[in-house]
Amino acid sequence: MTEEEFFTIGQIVAPHGVRGDVRIYADTDFPERFLKMTYAYIDGMKYDVENARFHKRVVLMKFKGVDDRDGSERMVGKEIQVTREELMPLPKGRYYVFDIMGCAVFDTSGTRLGTITDVLKTGSNDVYAVTGEDGEEILLPIIPSVIVSVDIEAKKIVADPPEWADS
């Protein structure tokens, strides 16, 4: 197998019962995907899924070959991953954070503001943290009046910073 790029969609947080089931905290906007998975990657190894179901705020999953509590305890702390091809498609205008990270940000006159170094989750809307070459950071709310265009292929974002954003 060639070197794959894996993306984390959840983390195993605890064993569940004595038959090898694990509790998974879903770190995805699409938790229902766990119910349809036939396999997942853990530490780069492919594990076939026997079954999965929701239980309270977690996903309970059973992997083939993990048949007792000792086996499931060894998996605690491991990430559940998928390949890029297995990521859920996003609606137009939505992007995965890992695709946004490192994008160059320009204002509408073409002046480079910096590079996206973080995406902050807030209560109302997410915010891009843009770090300039001088190390100064500006925060840009991810709203249509501020983020004019996003070109993931070119790793370029055009923004119209609000007056309070010192650019």
Side-chain angles (χ1 to χ4, degrees):
M1 183 200 275
T2 62
E3 184 68 26
E4 291 277 355
E5 187 176 12
F6 295 106
F7 299 92
T8 300
I9 61 167
Q11 183 171 17
I12 299 172
V13 295
H16 182 82
V18 295
R19 295 192 175 103
D21 290 9
V22 294
R23 291 180 190 211
I24 299 170
Y25 170 73
D27 188 16
T28 174
D29 289 340
F30 310 99
E32 65 280 358
R33 73 173 302 144
F34 285 94
L35 303 181
K36 298 175 185 169
M37 292 176 69
T38 57
Y39 61 89
Y41 292 93
I42 301 171
D43 289 339
M45 288 183 46
K46 187 175 181 179
Y47 284 82
D48 291 323
V49 175
E50 265 185 37
N51 63 58
R53 63 195 182 280
F54 289 115
H55 177 70
K56 299 180 183 177
R57 294 185 180 174
V58 296
V59 176
L60 299 181
M61 189 171 274
K62 171 79 171 75
F63 295 104
K64 290 181 183 168
V66 180
D67 298 317
D68 59 20
R69 187 168 182 96
D70 289 339
S72 62
E73 283 178 349
R74 285 190 291 276
M75 299 179 102
V76 172
K78 305 280 186 184
E79 295 177 339
I80 302 295
Q81 298 181 313
V82 296
T83 62
R84 180 176 282 279
E85 294 77 33
E86 297 161 330
L87 290 172
M88 299 295 286
L90 295 176
K92 184 177 178 161
R94 297 209 41 213
Y95 308 94
Y96 283 105
V97 171
F98 55 80
D99 283 332
I100 293 293
M101 295 298 290
C103 283
V105 180
F106 298 84
D107 67 15
T108 54
S109 65
T111 303
R112 185 182 171 101
L113 301 175
T115 304
I116 295 189
T117 54
D118 201 0
V119 178
L120 309 172
K121 305 282 184 187
T122 68
S124 56
N125 55 268
D126 293 348
V127 175
Y128 291 149
V130 180
T131 304
E133 290 181 19
D134 59 0
E136 291 292 317
E137 183 178 78
I138 62 170
L139 301 176
L140 300 175
I142 307 172
I143 56 176
S145 63
V146 175
I147 305 303
V148 177
S149 67
V150 176
D151 185 344
I152 293 298
E153 304 252 338
K155 298 292 279 181
K156 178 181 177 182
I157 294 174
V158 176
D160 186 12
E163 291 178 16
W164 51 262
D166 190 17
S167 59

